[in-house]
Amino acid sequence: MRRSLTDQLNRPLRDLRISVTDRCNFRCSYCMPIDMFGRDHQFLGRDELLRFEEIDRLVRIFVDHGVSKVRLTGGEPLLRKELEKLIQMLASLSGLDLTLTTNGSFLADKAGRLKEAGLQRITVSLDSLDEETFAAMNDVRFPVKGVLEGIEAAEAAGLTPIKINMVVKRGVNDTSILPMARYFKEKGHILRFIEYMDVGTTNGWSLNEVVPAAEILKVIDAELPLEPMESNYRGEVAQRWRYQDGSGEIGVIASVTQPFCGDCSRARLSADGILYTCLFASAGHNLRDLLRCGSSDEEISAILASLWEARTDRYSEIRSSETTDLPKVEMSYIGG
Ligand code: SAM
């Protein structure tokens, strides 16, 4: 059975992000601020997390409905024990584009095993090359060098092309835009600048802290001239730009200043099996209970179809001073 789903705004279901844990060893101010996610924060218990067999079963149902890309995320996905086993299970699904987003802190150690398990490529988050700025963004003392070594290990293992995600916060790491562009141009990895988003309710987001993608491009273009590129596919979230000297490409993800809900083909599954059809949703749909109360694949498949077909989400397009205060699921819980 293969049936491609589209929602009420005629958007296909193509892309699934799976959070494999809600835990993270970083406390990024834009994602898991330390005053909200300190020592006393209650993370999910082991039994609450979807088991690998459950994730594998759900992914097969999603693939039957047209999903061709799966990204493992978190929390920090490399904190999930024996993640390689899950990767091995998912990698056996033919034609699936399988990737992972990580903060890179365990990557130097794990890159080889991830590749052997069947992971194809990787995205690493890094917000600055400057130690003080990096620490100001993530509130831990993890050396930038450790992340760069992880990126090198990923390259050596063949987890390519490598993408680097940099969230830009005005007044905190905007001076890192050019040094990051220069460094990754030289290395040949695709650096993507992400506008700081109002996901969740704990990061105290304010529009003043957003550096618009157009401004980021202007800063880079003044020193390293750029030209636009075609998207790889409809619904690609990053706008692609290449250096005019032919030395590589960058991307900008302008979800605040140039929302792209109209092309959104993405579903998100939290570590405890709640399905969200929008990054800014306030509620999701519990698939774990369906799995654990004995529902058949056909029953779960029919529910998934009805959820996707009813979907009308377009938060970023209707963002306003009223919507930014609505309760929203945390990014660290559904993984970006
Ligand atoms: N721990 C992993 C990591 O750091 O890449 C995976 C989870 S993290 C939530 C996934 C991505 O979301 C990262 O690239 C992170 O920078 C991005 N992100 C988190 N909060 C964000 C926000 N408020 N605005 C924009 N991007 C954000």
Side-chain angles (χ1 to χ4, degrees):
M1 175 212 44
R2 178 175 277 269
R3 188 175 149 225
S4 285
L5 293 179
T6 55
D7 69 6
Q8 296 209 353
L9 302 177
N10 213 17
R11 297 167 295 190
L13 172 59
R14 292 266 162 70
D15 186 350
L16 177 65
R17 296 200 160 201
I18 305 171
S19 172
V20 291
T21 173
D22 60 335
R23 286 168 201 259
C24 190
N25 53 332
F26 283 13
R27 286 289 170 275
C28 299
S29 61
Y30 52 80
C31 187
M32 294 185 90
I34 195 149
D35 43 341
M36 308 298 282
F37 291 87
R39 277 174 197 277
D40 301 335
H41 182 75
Q42 280 293 314
F43 289 100
L44 292 167
R46 209 170 155 188
D47 290 343
E48 293 174 276
L49 298 179
L50 284 183
R51 297 187 281 271
F52 290 164
E53 293 70 22
E54 292 173 326
I55 295 176
D56 182 55
R57 189 174 158 206
L58 285 178
V59 169
R60 286 167 196 272
I61 296 172
F62 274 89
V63 166
D64 275 341
H65 280 301
V67 162
S68 56
K69 177 174 166 189
V70 167
R71 177 176 298 277
L72 302 178
T73 176
E76 171 47 43
L78 300 188
L79 284 178
R80 179 79 189 248
K81 283 209 177 78
E82 303 187 306
L83 184 70
E84 295 83 352
K85 283 192 182 159
L86 174 66
I87 292 173
Q88 217 167 11
M89 289 162 112
L90 300 181
S92 71
L93 281 163
S94 75
L96 192 66
D97 177 12
L98 182 61
T99 182
L100 179 148
T101 302
T102 173
N103 63 27
S105 53
F106 301 101
L107 196 51
D109 179 38
K110 296 198 169 190
R113 272 174 281 148
L114 295 172
K115 179 68 184 179
E116 270 165 38
L119 190 70
Q120 293 158 5
R121 55 198 179 82
I122 205 154
T123 298
V124 181
S125 304
L126 177 65
D127 299 325
S128 181
L129 294 169
D130 173 72
E131 296 292 352
E132 290 307 312
T133 313
F134 186 52
M137 288 295 275
N138 63 31
D139 233 322
V140 294
R141 278 276 156 197
F142 189 86
V144 172
K145 189 166 160 275
V147 180
L148 297 179
E149 284 169 359
I151 294 170
E152 275 168 30
E155 186 174 16
L159 289 167
T160 53
I162 296 175
K163 291 181 183 160
I164 313 296
N165 279 354
M166 170 178 173
V167 176
V168 185
K169 256 182 112 173
R170 190 176 302 283
V172 187
N173 69 336
D174 43 353
T175 51
S176 297
I177 294 171
L178 262 176
M180 286 281 285
R182 290 185 200 117
Y183 182 86
F184 287 108
K185 178 176 186 286
E186 180 68 32
K187 292 284 176 193
H189 303 317
I190 304 170
L191 175 60
R192 301 175 336 152
F193 298 92
I194 308 180
E195 287 180 352
Y196 172 38
M197 292 185 276
D198 52 332
V199 277
T201 47
T202 56
N203 64 13
W205 183 86
S206 131
L207 189 56
N208 301 332
E209 294 168 301
V210 178
V211 181
E215 188 179 323
I216 296 171
L217 289 168
K218 206 168 151 195
V219 169
I220 299 171
D221 185 61
E223 178 180 313
L224 308 165
L226 293 165
E227 59 192 18
M229 290 172 80
E230 289 288 312
S231 326
N232 285 313
Y233 52 89
R234 182 185 160 205
E236 188 170 32
V237 298
Q239 297 166 22
R240 300 172 69 208
W241 293 77
R242 72 180 144 231
Y243 294 111
Q244 284 182 22
D245 66 6
S247 62
E249 70 173 90
I250 61 163
V252 286
I253 301 178
S255 105
V256 178
T257 60
Q258 300 164 60
F260 35 79
C261 306
D263 278 339
C264 177
S265 55
R266 184 170 293 171
R268 295 175 164 87
L269 190 62
S270 68
D272 55 348
I274 312 294
L275 179 72
Y276 292 88
T277 57
C278 177
L279 180 56
F280 300 94
S282 46
H285 312 276
N286 192 328
L287 299 188
R288 187 188 64 187
D289 281 357
L290 292 176
L291 290 166
R292 295 189 183 173
C293 75
S295 303
S296 67
D297 285 2
E298 289 68 29
E299 284 162 340
I300 297 173
S301 178
I303 288 167
L304 168 61
S306 67
L307 291 174
W308 191 266
E309 283 164 356
R311 167 183 186 248
T312 56
D313 330 65
R314 53 188 199 93
Y315 175 90
S316 293
E317 287 179 352
I318 55 171
R319 176 185 282 111
S320 67
S321 49
E322 278 103 69
T323 58
T324 52
D325 287 338
L326 291 175
K328 282 176 258 117
V329 62
E330 293 298 325
M331 184 76 130
S332 53
Y333 172 67
I334 54 168

